[in-house]
Amino acid sequence: MKQSIIGLLTLALLAGLGLSSCSLNSRQEVNAGGETYNPSAEKITFSFAAPRGLPTTYAIHDQAEWAINGNKITLYEFLAGTKTYVKTHTVDLTGPGPEYQASLTAADFVGAGNTIHAGENRFFLFVANDEPLTGLTADVTTVDQVMSRLISRMQSANASCNVLLQGGSYLPMVGVAKIGTESTSIPMSGASTINVDLIRAVARIDIQTTMKATAAHPEYKEVIIKDAVLKNAYDRTAVGEHRATGLTTVGGVKTFATIPAGGVSPSQQYNGVMGKLSKAFYLYETPKALVSKDQAPVVDITVEYDGKEHHVEVPFYQNGAVVPVKRNYLYTIILGPKESPVPPVTGQGVSFAIAVNEWNGPVNVTESLNLLAPAQGATLPAGYDAKTHKLTVAAAGVSNVQIPFVSNFARSTSTIVANAKGNPDWVQLSYAGSLMTLTVKPNTTGAKRTAVVSVADASFPTAYQYEIKIEQD
């Protein structure tokens, strides 16, 4: 993935920064043409593209997501032709970041006194914020074998996703050295600039709630994020074409960010953004060949709505296909009023969308939160407050008050069931299809009285229930 607006980390490679020299066993190479070659005089300059930029463009928002732990980066050196392993180096970086500097020369790769054969270029693989691999054998271990073992940390079931970060703080990043945009065969002489695009090995999910009362819709109530867990998270990843192979999925993955005790409200700012739980999850990308919905990651969000808790499951699945999760991408799940492409049919219709910050345009997934309410635009009885769900009735009572309901449940038959809690003898109701008819008898007790009528979707009677409080003088 090639980014625009990228910060550059120029690594002018000098000798003597804690790198041991690398002997190439029995190789005593001669430079083409027989001219004098001094490895210690051959400086190699790497230009690193740091994975950082504007919040609306990149999966990056602060220093913690581009910082390199201890200012050290691991370099795996291979012969470019055979792609076989030579040596692992730890490169010390200097500078406060995000711009770093470091130094090496060709002597650090070929060994003191050795010379370079014209065709024996190098393939360089850089890894930041991950423990160096062990058990690699010179002239035997291949690039593919190393790539298939990265990254080292695994996601476990019912554990925080911070286990994917080195020390719980630093995101693993990987980059391959290239000349220009394509060639990965790096000569040990010459003045070519070598580019390394560091890419995060993880993706990120944010969750934002925008559902609250507005001037246009005072009947809306806040949807407050109380908790979230990630299901079908893939336990490991690799790099190159070895990404996400031979994996298992785990569930119950806990958030990286801490959710406030009262939840995340759409009316409050969190880190400067209204209603957003930033860094809800870090996760590894999905395998390329996923096809079924039960293979796709799912974010199970617990929300509070109208004083009750509900579960909203957001699958990475759309139009019969898995929405792929890709490394170095930011996915924002947005909970908000169901007003697009048409106005909501219920006063409390809520939908979700997944906004993907990448260069091919957004992927939108829209489903309904399971709610029902009086039909928007219907003529509701006098004395009914849509905001508080309260019906105020005079002592004389009312007869045959009708309230039409609409359900947002998928596969709903638009048929309701209703009951008056506690079966008070002064409240009578009937229902047919989506229409409820209510009668309140005259109050002769001399004291105010209250009752609660509960309405539910007939297909899902134990799910969300819309409650109307009746208060009679």
Side-chain angles (χ1 to χ4, degrees):
M1 295 182 290
K2 188 68 176 177
Q3 301 102 323
S4 59
I5 317 177
I6 298 179
L8 295 182
L9 308 182
T10 301
L11 303 185
L13 300 180
L14 305 171
L17 290 184
L19 290 141
S20 59
S21 63
C22 172
S23 171
L24 294 186
N25 302 323
S26 61
R27 296 188 186 92
Q28 290 293 319
E29 299 137 302
V30 295
N31 200 31
E35 67 270 21
T36 302
Y37 174 78
N38 181 3
S40 297
E42 294 289 346
K43 293 184 178 180
I44 309 170
T45 300
F46 290 82
S47 179
F48 280 64
R52 63 189 180 93
L54 299 177
T56 56
T57 308
Y58 304 102
I60 182 67
H61 287 249
D62 55 30
Q63 179 178 351
E65 292 183 318
W66 53 252
I68 296 177
N69 189 13
N71 282 13
K72 294 179 182 291
I73 191 167
T74 300
L75 168 57
Y76 297 95
E77 177 190 357
F78 302 85
L79 296 180
T82 60
K83 296 287 177 49
T84 51
Y85 172 74
V86 176
K87 190 175 179 65
T88 301
H89 307 265
T90 299
V91 178
D92 293 314
L93 309 178
T94 60
E99 293 185 355
Y100 301 92
Q101 293 182 344
S103 298
L104 290 176
T105 69
D108 292 296
F109 298 103
V110 303
N114 283 0
T115 53
I116 295 288
H117 189 279
E120 202 164 75
N121 292 353
R122 298 295 188 270
F123 178 98
F124 291 131
L125 174 65
F126 289 87
V127 181
N129 302 330
D130 197 49
E131 290 69 33
L133 297 177
T134 59
L136 306 182
T137 303
D139 297 322
V140 175
T141 302
T142 65
V143 170
D144 285 350
Q145 289 170 335
V146 170
M147 286 185 167
S148 68
R149 290 178 57 185
L150 298 170
I151 298 296
S152 65
R153 288 178 294 281
M154 294 175 57
Q155 177 66 64
S156 301
N158 305 311
S160 170
C161 59
N162 68 2
V163 299
L164 303 185
L165 282 63
Q166 190 175 49
S169 301
Y170 297 92
L171 301 181
M173 296 180 283
V174 178
V176 173
K178 296 180 180 180
I179 295 178
T181 59
E182 297 298 332
S183 177
T184 59
S185 181
I186 310 301
M188 292 291 96
S189 61
S192 299
T193 298
I194 303 167
N195 302 307
V196 182
D197 288 340
L198 286 176
I199 301 298
R200 293 175 211 84
V202 295
R204 170 176 149 182
I205 295 176
D206 292 353
I207 307 173
Q208 186 170 18
T209 172
T210 64
M211 181 67 173
K212 62 181 180 179
T214 63
H217 295 287
E219 74 278 13
Y220 286 173
K221 297 182 181 295
E222 287 192 343
V223 170
I224 300 172
I225 301 168
K226 300 302 292 281
D227 195 11
V229 295
L230 179 61
K231 303 176 181 179
N232 276 2
Y234 285 82
D235 64 343
R236 70 191 76 183
T237 192
V239 300
E241 292 304 313
H242 302 278
R243 296 180 183 181
T245 57
L247 308 179
T248 58
T249 58
V250 295
V253 176
K254 298 176 175 60
T255 60
F256 176 81
T258 300
I259 300 176
V264 177
S265 164
S267 301
Q268 295 181 9
Q269 287 192 1
Y270 303 86
N271 297 319
V273 182
M274 295 294 289
K276 177 178 281 190
L277 179 64
S278 297
K279 302 182 184 178
F281 297 102
Y282 291 111
L283 69 162
Y284 288 137
E285 63 192 350
T286 53
K288 294 180 179 180
L290 297 188
V291 293
S292 65
K293 187 173 182 178
D294 60 5
Q295 295 175 309
V298 177
V299 180
D300 184 350
I301 308 170
T302 302
V303 300
E304 180 182 296
Y305 181 86
D306 199 16
K308 297 181 180 179
E309 287 193 350
H310 310 274
H311 284 269
V312 184
E313 289 201 340
V314 181
F316 278 70
Y317 191 85
Q318 177 196 24
N319 298 327
V322 174
V323 176
V325 174
K326 300 179 181 180
R327 63 181 60 199
N328 207 48
Y329 280 43
L330 170 61
Y331 301 83
T332 303
I333 297 172
I334 303 172
L335 303 174
K338 187 178 181 182
E339 294 181 349
S340 178
V342 295
V345 293
T346 74
Q348 282 84 24
V350 177
S351 67
F352 68 75
I354 301 175
V356 184
N357 283 334
E358 47 99 351
W359 296 269
N360 297 323
V363 176
N364 293 315
V365 181
T366 303
E367 291 186 5
S368 295
L369 181 63
N370 294 333
L371 301 173
L372 83 164
Q376 185 150 332
T379 301
L380 300 178
Y384 178 72
D385 187 333
K387 188 174 183 179
T388 61
H389 302 189
K390 185 171 75 171
L391 176 62
T392 301
V393 180
V398 293
S399 298
N400 299 322
V401 171
Q402 293 187 329
I403 303 178
F405 282 83
V406 174
S407 171
N408 260 3
F409 283 70
R411 302 180 304 280
S412 171
T413 60
S414 297
T415 301
I416 63 167
V417 293
N419 69 86
K421 292 186 175 182
N423 299 314
D425 58 8
W426 53 278
V427 175
Q428 297 176 339
L429 60 86
S430 62
Y431 48 91
S434 62
L435 184 67
M436 184 185 76
T437 302
L438 175 70
T439 294
V440 179
K441 293 181 179 181
N443 184 4
T444 60
T445 65
K448 283 187 176 183
R449 56 186 179 183
T450 61
V452 175
V453 171
S454 177
V455 185
D457 188 300
S459 301
F460 310 93
T462 61
Y464 178 80
Q465 297 183 358
Y466 188 94
E467 293 185 345
I468 297 175
K469 181 179 180 180
I470 301 173
E471 187 174 279
Q472 186 179 29
D473 292 333

